[in-house]
Amino acid sequence: MNQADSARLAAGLERRGYAPAARPEEADLVVVNSCVVRQSAEERVAGQLGALKALKRARPQLQVALTGCLVDSQIAALRRRFPQVDFFFPPQDFQALWERLAPGRPGDEGCLPQKPAGPTAFLPVISGCDEFCAYCIVPYRRGRERSRPLAELRCEAEALARRGVRELTLLGQNVNAYGRDLPGRPDLALLLEELAALPGLRRLRFLTSHPADVTEGFIEAVSRLPQVCPSFSLPVQAGHDNTLRRMGRRGYTVASYKRLVEGIRQALPEAAISTDIIVGFPGETETEFAATLALLEELRCDTVHGAAYSPRPGTAAARLPDDVPPEAKKERLARLEALQERIAGEINAALLGRRVEALVEGQKGGKWWGRTPTGKLVFFADEADRLGQLVEVELTMTGPWSLQGNVQAPAPVVAGGS
Ligand code: SAH
Ligand code: SF4
């Protein structure tokens, strides 16, 4: 979400006559887009702002703006904590920044508030979150759910496709809540269907799905629309019902989560499942954590994002004792990561010799890289310019984090593509 917001900021600044600087030392304006979902993220932002303090002393004309989830309603307190910041604005309230700067070309934002930097782009479709999971600061900093009208999204997607974007990732903290707050209540399936009909867009992704909001109808839409990638990001957070209950408002049990994954795999046998896990949530016993590992062993997800719990100000869980010691959190995270490395290695090893489709996004270390429909990273060497192409790669090497192979002919054009 922050990447998507930064792309919008950059495009808006360029329209106002700014150009990107290579380093903060050369900039007239630095906008820090902060994340505070975990304590460690907040510390990184504070560190960056610390470095800017020295820079600002050396060059007082430098303007520093701070946005993202560090910006709450207590601006006066923020001003005291970060006197080097000239201007604070809440996440996505870009208008507040534009009003401070020289006017841009009037009314030229149209329906393309970002400048695509390659064949893939993010399309934020719903902001905020109404769930209030006990550990999570997002609803406090990004507010209630707000969906963007379907016509506006169609217009932006069309404009992106005209500029060469081939893959769009529809974003929302709970992307499956899309449309609940709009007149006529369109839903994510309808939105995907409309975007799939646009010429040029070869792939559509969606991120993140709250497990309680993924319906059979939605799974059916994903399997029916060839452009929609069979890739689900379904944060389970914990593998024991007691932990889930303490996490509050998650709205599923371990059993119902397993049924959901089964349902997805029945409809889409190739589907990739990724999940998020918090280790060391208040009161997490060794038994509860062992249940999380057992669930991961059973489900065999393609990707697991593990994080050690940290209390976030204002959340319900921050009132619970943070009673799992830091060493235990670290140790649990290491066990989780070792398990997942093995599972991902095994899942990917089964792909050896297979042909996969990749959309080429760039070059790294002399090789082209892209992603499969399931989101796996693929590298291959080729003399030809493959940027933005859909290619077929025959896999010759696999590891837990990436695949490698030889490029075959460009993949056949799919329905709706160009
Ligand atoms: N909207 C998504 C993710 C939001 S935050 C969802 O519903 O899951 C991204 C991830 O950060 C979460 O999935 C969670 O695993 C992690 N996270 C959120 N708050 C956290 C906290 N206080 N401590 C550690 N990890 C946290
Ligand atoms: Fe946070 Fe829960 Fe909302 Fe995800 S669904 S953003 S974890 S409150």
Side-chain angles (χ1 to χ4, degrees), residues 49-378:
L49 288 169
L52 286 170
K53 197 172 193 172
L55 213 58
K56 177 110 181 160
R57 249 197 312 270
R59 283 179 41 231
Q61 73 277 21
L62 170 70
Q63 291 287 298
V64 178
L66 177 65
T67 185
C69 289
L70 185 54
V71 180
D72 56 9
S73 52
Q74 315 292 311
I75 301 291
L78 280 172
R79 226 182 275 289
R80 280 194 299 276
R81 188 171 164 202
F82 303 112
Q84 66 275 41
V85 175
D86 300 285
F87 181 54
F88 299 86
F89 62 102
Q92 296 181 335
D93 186 5
F94 305 130
Q95 201 49 42
L97 178 66
W98 306 150
E99 280 162 17
R100 295 260 310 192
L101 303 175
R105 282 163 267 141
D108 64 353
E109 251 155 65
C111 60
L112 191 59
Q114 60 175 317
K115 196 173 114 186
T120 64
F122 289 121
L123 184 65
V125 303
I126 175 169
S127 59
C129 184
D130 287 357
E131 297 297 328
F132 290 91
C133 302
Y135 49 82
C136 187
I137 198 170
V138 170
Y140 300 92
R141 301 296 165 90
R142 285 190 178 257
R144 297 295 74 74
E145 285 170 1
R146 273 181 323 279
S147 301
R148 296 173 64 197
L150 223 141
E152 183 185 313
L153 294 171
R154 198 190 307 115
C155 184
E156 182 170 348
E158 239 172 345
L160 286 168
R162 272 200 303 276
R163 282 165 179 75
V165 169
R166 295 289 162 259
E167 176 186 300
L168 269 187
T169 301
L170 279 44
L171 288 184
Q173 292 300 337
N174 177 7
V175 75
N176 289 75
Y178 175 75
R180 289 209 282 233
D181 56 326
L182 290 177
R185 294 176 66 96
D187 62 8
L188 185 62
L190 179 71
L191 175 61
L192 285 169
E193 204 167 310
E194 296 234 343
L195 299 185
L198 297 176
L201 289 177
R202 307 284 293 270
R203 285 180 173 182
L204 295 169
R205 300 184 183 279
F206 50 94
L207 189 77
T208 299
S209 297
H210 192 296
D213 287 329
V214 177
T215 60
E216 263 174 47
F218 177 71
I219 299 170
E220 190 275 321
V222 175
S223 49
R224 180 165 41 85
L225 299 165
Q227 294 91 336
V228 180
C229 294
S231 181
F232 289 75
S233 173
L234 291 169
V236 66
Q237 311 296 2
H240 196 292
D241 284 340
N242 290 351
T243 332
L244 286 177
R245 249 192 308 274
R246 290 197 306 281
M247 286 179 167
R249 302 185 64 132
R250 290 297 294 171
Y252 53 86
T253 60
V254 173
S256 71
Y257 183 86
K258 280 196 227 172
R259 277 196 300 276
L260 172 64
V261 172
E262 262 164 45
I264 291 171
R265 286 180 170 157
Q266 238 154 46
L268 293 146
E270 302 270 285
I273 308 282
S274 95
T275 199
D276 295 2
I277 300 284
I278 296 177
V279 307
F281 186 78
E284 186 187 64
T285 61
E286 178 54 36
T287 312
E288 289 179 18
F289 179 65
T292 298
L293 292 184
L295 178 69
L296 293 179
E297 183 82 74
E298 184 182 338
L299 289 176
R300 298 176 67 77
C301 296
D302 296 77
T303 313
V304 174
H305 301 109
Y309 170 76
S310 54
R312 305 284 56 220
T315 61
R319 293 193 295 270
L320 303 172
D322 183 14
D323 54 1
V324 179
E327 315 77 62
K329 285 180 185 166
K330 219 170 131 186
E331 187 257 351
R332 286 179 192 177
L333 195 56
R335 275 155 73 199
L336 178 111
E337 284 170 351
L339 171 68
Q340 185 53 29
E341 182 167 351
R342 170 169 68 69
I343 294 172
E346 288 166 2
I347 292 174
N348 290 349
L351 296 172
L352 196 68
R354 294 248 311 253
R355 287 187 178 188
V356 295
E357 179 203 274
L359 175 64
V360 183
E361 293 186 46
Q363 249 178 332
K364 207 180 197 167
K367 287 190 166 161
W368 293 104
W369 68 270
R371 286 188 188 274
T372 64
T374 51
K376 294 181 193 288
L377 197 54
V378 187

